[in-house]
Amino acid sequence: MIKNSTRHDQGVYTCELRNKVGSQESNSAVYVAIYFKPIVQLTMEPPTPVSELDRLNITLMCKVESGNPDILQAVRWYLDGELLKELPDCGGNATDYMFCDIDPSKLLLEDVGRSFHGNYSCEGMNEAGWGPLSPDEELMVYYPPGAASLVYEPMRVIKKSSVTLRCSVDDAGRPETTTYRWLRGTHLIQDVTTANWTIDPVTLETESNFTCLAYNKGGEGDPATVYIEVSAPPTFIERLPLYHGALVNASNINISCRVECSPLCSMQWLKDGKLLNLNSSSSLYSVSNTVIPPDTRTSDFESIRSMLMWNMSAWPGGQLDRIHDSANYTCQSTHNEVGPGVRSSTAFRVEYPPENITVSNKIVNVTEGHIPEKVICSATAYPEATYQWKHESGTFITKGNNALIISSPVSRTEGGNYTCEAINRHGKIAQKTFINVLYKPECGITQGEVDGKLALICAAHANPREVDFTWRIKNENDTLEENIEKKGLQSILMLDSHVENFRTYVCVANNSEGPSVPCERDVTLEISWWGKLDNEHLIIIIAIVVGAIVMVLIVCIIIIIVCRRKRAEDKYPSPSATKDKSMPDLAGSPSDGLLQPDGDKAFYENLPFHGMQSAPNKPFRPEFSDLDYADVDYRSYGPINYKMASIQAIEQEKKKNLKNENQQQPLHSSNNHLPDLL
C-alpha cells in the first residue's frame, strides 16, 4: 500500500518472493498512474514587441510544463489579471459554438492594435483538475505619437535676432516619444531632434516653411507646418566710400549706395547736408533707383540700389571746378516698420594730374669727394603727388620723397642729370636737375703727327673744362713757350725733326679745381728718315719696293725655266743624231738578248723607268775603276734583279761619260768589257 502518494510514486511496480532457498520476481507487473494538476507556461508567436501599423495576428499558447495527464481539457485566458476567455466555450448561442470544438491551449489575437497591449496569463485543467495560473507574459504593441502642433515666438521675426519654434503632441505614443524631426522647406535638419528649436541669428533662409513631427519605434506622427516671415531693418549692403574723386574733365561721374530693407524703404541724396533738387529737367544731377530681390548666396533680403549721376552736359563749361565742386555727398534711406533709416557720406573731390613742377636748384656744383646740397622738388596735384628721383643711368635714388639728398661724398661718375617725377593716378610730370661734379684735370701724352710733323699731344679730362697747359723738360726749370698750340682739352707741342739729346717732356693741366698730376713722355735720340715721312708718302714707297721685288722674282723664274730646257736638250739628244753604228745599242741588243722574251719583258714594261730615253753610246773607259763590273755577279740576282742591277750600272756609266766629255779627253775603245758588264 502507498500512502500519501505523489507524482513521484508513479511508475511500474513488480513483486519479489524470497525464502531460505532463494527469491523469484513476479512474472507480471502493474503500472501505477498518479494524476496531478497541470503546471502551464504562456508563450507568444511572433515574439513581441510588435507595431500597430503592421496589424499582425498573434497566437498565445498555454504549454504544459508538468501534469498527468498532460492533455488540457480546458484553459482559462487572462489579460491584466482579468478573465478574457475560457476555452472550450460550448454555450447555447451560435457564437460560442465556434469556440467549442477547438484546441483550448491556443488563443489567436487578430489584427493586433494598441488595445491588445497588456500582461497575458493562462491556467489549464486536466482530469486531476485546474492547475495554478501561469506567470504573466507582456504583449507589447508599439504605435506612433499623435499629431503635432507647431508655434513660434516672437511673432515678429527680425533679421539678426532669434526665434524659437515649439513642437508638441497630445499622445506621445508607445514607447513614449522624446525625439522630433524638423524640416526647413524640404530640407531635413539633421542636428535638431528636440521638441524646441531656437534659431539665432535669423537670416534670409529663416523666411521659410518649417515642419515638425514626433516619431518613435512605432512610427511617425502627423506633422505640423508653419511659415515664418522675416523683416529686415534698413541696413547698408554697399556704403558710400569715405572718399571719391573725379578727374576735372571727366564726362561720366556717379556714386551709388545699396540699402537692404524689408519691407522696402525709399532713398534720398544730400549735398553738404541739403537735399538735392532732382525734379527740374535742367538739374545738374539725376538719380536711378533699382530694387534687387533677395539673394540666398549672400543672405541679403530685398534691397534698393540708388545711383547719383552728374549731368555733365548741364554743368557750366562741361567740366568740374577744382574749388567749388568739391563737396560732401550723403545717401540716406527712410525708416520701415522694424527699424530707422540709415545714411552714408563721402568726401567728393575734383582731381587733376601733377602740373607746375619745379626744383629748388637746376644746377648743383660740387667738388668731387664732397656732399652736394639737397634739391627740393614740388608740384601741384590732387590727389597729392608722390615723388621719386632717378639718375640718368636709370638707377632710382629715392622713392616717396620730394627731396634729393645725397648723404655721402660724390664721385665724378655720380654726376649728371637727376630727374624728379611727380606722380598720381592721373599722370606724371618730370623735371631735371644737374649735379655738376668738379674735379682736377687728369692728363696723358701721346706722340703723333700734326700736319706731317712730329708732335707731342697732351690730352686732359677735367671739369670745369676750362684748362690751361704748361710744358717743360724734366729736370729743367724753364717752361716751354714756343711751338705750342691749345685746342680745347688738348695741348700740342711741335717737335724738331732732329733731337740731339734724350729728353723727357712733362705736361701739367690746370683748372679752377687745381693742377693735375704731371704726365711725362720720353723722346728718342734721333728720328729715322721714315719717321719724317707722312703716311701717304710711306705707303707709296712701300708699294714701289714690293713691285720691284715681284718683278725680280718673275725674271728669275723665267731664266730658270730657260736654263732647265737648254740643259735637258744637251743632256738627252735625239737618238738618230748621236747613235754610233759601230757600237751596239746598250738599251737594245746586249741587254735585250739577256732578257727573257715573254713574261719578264711584260714585267719590265710595267716598271716606272720603262719608256725612258736610252743614253747615247759612248766608248767604255776602263780607267774609271771605281765601277768594277767584274766584282758583281749579276746572275746571282735572279732574272728580275739581274736586269735592275744592269740598268743601274749603265746609268752610272752614262754620268761618268758626260763628265769625261767635258774634260775633252780622247775616247778609248772598251767594247771588250761590254760582255762582262752584261
Side-chain angles (χ1 to χ4, degrees), residues 357 359 375 377 387-398 401-402 404 416-422 428-435:
I357 186 171
V359 291
V375 180
C377 179
Y387 298 87
Q388 63 183 21
W389 286 89
K390 61 181 179 181
H391 189 248
E392 61 186 14
S393 63
T395 304
F396 282 95
I397 307 303
T398 60
N401 190 352
N402 68 329
L404 174 61
N417 287 313
Y418 285 75
T419 302
C420 168
E421 291 183 346
K428 65 180 180 179
I429 192 171
Q431 182 62 274
K432 294 181 179 180
T433 187
F434 185 78
I435 303 297

Side-chain angles (χ1 to χ4, degrees), residues 19-31:
N19 61 14
K20 292 180 179 181
V21 178
S23 64
Q24 183 179 1
E25 187 176 347
S26 65
N27 293 331
S28 62
V30 62
Y31 178 77

Side-chain angles (χ1 to χ4, degrees), residues 150-191:
L150 178 59
V151 295
Y152 66 89
E153 59 182 10
M155 296 304 297
R156 179 176 288 279
V157 181
I158 301 174
K159 181 182 179 181
K160 295 184 179 180
S161 64
S162 63
V163 60
T164 300
L165 294 93
R166 304 185 188 278
C167 186
S168 60
V169 292
D170 294 333
D171 185 356
R174 183 180 295 115
E176 186 173 340
T177 183
T178 58
T179 55
Y180 294 81
R181 185 168 288 124
W182 291 91
L183 292 90
R184 181 177 58 240
T186 59
H187 175 66
L188 176 64
I189 309 300
Q190 299 281 0
D191 54 349

Side-chain angles (χ1 to χ4, degrees), residues 220-258:
E220 295 180 350
D222 293 334
T225 301
V226 67
Y227 179 79
I228 297 180
E229 182 177 1
V230 180
S231 300
T235 305
F236 276 108
I237 297 176
E238 298 173 3
R239 304 180 66 91
L240 290 177
L242 295 177
Y243 171 84
H244 183 85
L247 193 60
V248 62
N249 57 354
S251 60
N252 184 16
I253 306 173
N254 61 78
I255 54 177
S256 65
C257 65
R258 179 183 171 191

Side-chain angles (χ1 to χ4, degrees), residues 9-10 18 43 173 205 226 283 305 359 405 410-411 433 506 557 563 597 624 626 648-649 660 672:
D9 295 327
Q10 179 173 301
R18 186 185 301 272
T43 61
E205 66 179 10
V226 67
S283 175
R305 173 181 281 119
V359 291
I405 301 175
V410 295
S411 64
T433 187
V506 178
I557 291 171
C563 291
F624 298 103
D626 55 343
Q648 290 176 358
N660 292 333
N672 56 335

